[in-house]
Amino acid sequence: MYSIGETAKLVGLSTYTLRYYEKEKIITPLRNANGERTFDEQHIQWLRFVIRLKATQMPIAKIREYTELFLEGEHTTRQRLELLQNHQVLIQQQLERLTSVESELQYKIENYEKIMTSTTK
């Protein structure tokens, strides 16, 4: 079992963020005899998944929706699948936009390098 501080360090989040995720019902920590939040390995794995979803720009509302579906049980498998598939489409669109921007940046960089090379001769 991990304290909120230990959990925060393990997953690379602040204790504030962990409390926020609890408030948003994305994670439900256990409580010890003193009422302090404690986290186990399943919590750690779940938080790492949530972090990956956030890294792909999934909104908190969608993460909460996914969490609620997960907690409801296996009968929500299709809904969870659809939610993740829809998000995957958004990720693919993000990748296409980033690839396009990266190409434009590469073009500009090459032009500046040519200018710099020609002015130093």
Side-chain angles (χ1 to χ4, degrees):
M1 297 301 263
Y2 303 100
S3 70
I4 191 169
E6 293 167 331
T7 301
K9 286 179 186 172
L10 275 171
V11 299
L13 296 174
S14 68
T15 57
Y16 173 84
T17 300
L18 292 176
R19 287 184 190 99
Y20 173 72
Y21 285 172
E22 179 182 9
K23 179 181 157 228
E24 291 296 318
K25 301 193 183 330
I26 291 170
I27 191 159
T28 305
L30 305 170
R31 298 282 179 162
N32 66 17
N34 296 328
E36 298 166 330
R37 293 169 182 87
T38 61
F39 301 83
D40 60 19
E41 284 301 322
Q42 286 183 314
H43 289 110
I44 302 299
Q45 290 174 14
W46 178 255
L47 285 166
R48 288 181 175 146
F49 181 62
V50 168
I51 290 165
R52 286 191 294 275
L53 293 176
K54 281 296 294 167
T56 63
Q57 315 265 317
M58 182 180 272
I60 287 293
K62 286 289 178 189
I63 295 172
R64 184 183 327 107
E65 180 182 348
Y66 181 85
T67 302
E68 289 168 359
L69 291 169
F70 178 80
L71 292 173
E72 281 184 43
E74 291 303 313
H75 70 279
T76 66
T77 299
R78 180 176 302 284
Q79 292 164 284
R80 286 183 276 153
L81 174 62
E82 288 173 3
L83 189 147
L84 292 178
Q85 287 173 327
N86 290 338
H87 187 64
Q88 185 177 39
V89 168
L90 295 175
I91 291 171
Q92 290 166 344
Q93 291 170 348
Q94 288 174 6
L95 287 170
E96 289 169 10
R97 283 192 301 274
L98 287 172
T99 299
S100 173
V101 169
E102 196 269 339
S103 295
E104 290 177 41
L105 286 174
Q106 185 60 38
Y107 174 78
K108 290 279 191 194
I109 289 168
E110 289 171 3
N111 281 335
Y112 286 130
E113 288 174 342
K114 287 177 188 173
I115 291 169
M116 297 293 291
T117 302
S118 67
T119 59
T120 57
K121 290 183 179 180

